[in-house]
Amino acid sequence: MNTTASPDGPHQGQPIRYAGAPLRVADAAVVLLHGRGATARSILDLADACYVHGVAYAAPQAQYNRWYPGSFLAPRDSNEPELSSALAAVDAAVSDVTSSVPPERVVVGGFSQGACLAAEYVARNPRRYGGLVVLSGGLVGPEGTDFEYGGDLAGTPVFLGCSDVDPYVPLERVHASRDAFESLGGDVTERIYEGMAHTTTDDELAFVTDLLADLVREAGAETDERGGDGR
């Protein structure tokens, strides 16, 4: 078990839980972020649902089981200092997994509040990732927020899945997030599920599983080109 590192904040020093392949031999990795009221252990159930051999799953834990106190639609300042601390915790988890797995094969994702945090982290730290998975969430900020970020996702696959009647995530925010990630150079897939509750679907999990399987295949192809496993 590792822990989220400094700077000081409410989420620093919390544990990171792991599942799947050991990081030192993993072909790909996923940083999974739990929702409000959930835990790192519970979000790793998602790893069971989209398990792919060769993938390491890492899940940081939020203090008090939530990343910030208010809605993701509230003014950002009203969710401080927890929001900044949460972003730092995600950064620590990403840094941990990228010490063994290249960022191009690291997926950042989450559900609900964790999905919002994943989206906000990748938007603020754009680069080529293995993927971004936003399950029932969107970028953080109140209505009218200008979602313009600098940088380039360089074709990073971005998946946005949500209900058309989600009680917590307005459909307009999903669309605005889609537009923002497209502007950042992401390869965006948006799927809206009619009448779905605030949950995940088999279709979403199948998409994630396929994404991870592709990353593992890419890793295998790179190893073959090198003529062996260089680790």
Side-chain angles (χ1 to χ4, degrees), residues 6 97 131 193 212 220:
S6 60
V97 300
Y193 301 92
L212 297 176

Side-chain angles (χ1 to χ4, degrees), residues 27 105 209-222 224:
D27 293 316
R105 295 203 297 272
T209 303
D210 289 345
L211 173 64
L212 297 176
D214 286 345
L215 294 175
V216 169
R217 278 192 290 272
E218 289 173 12
E222 291 175 8
D224 290 342

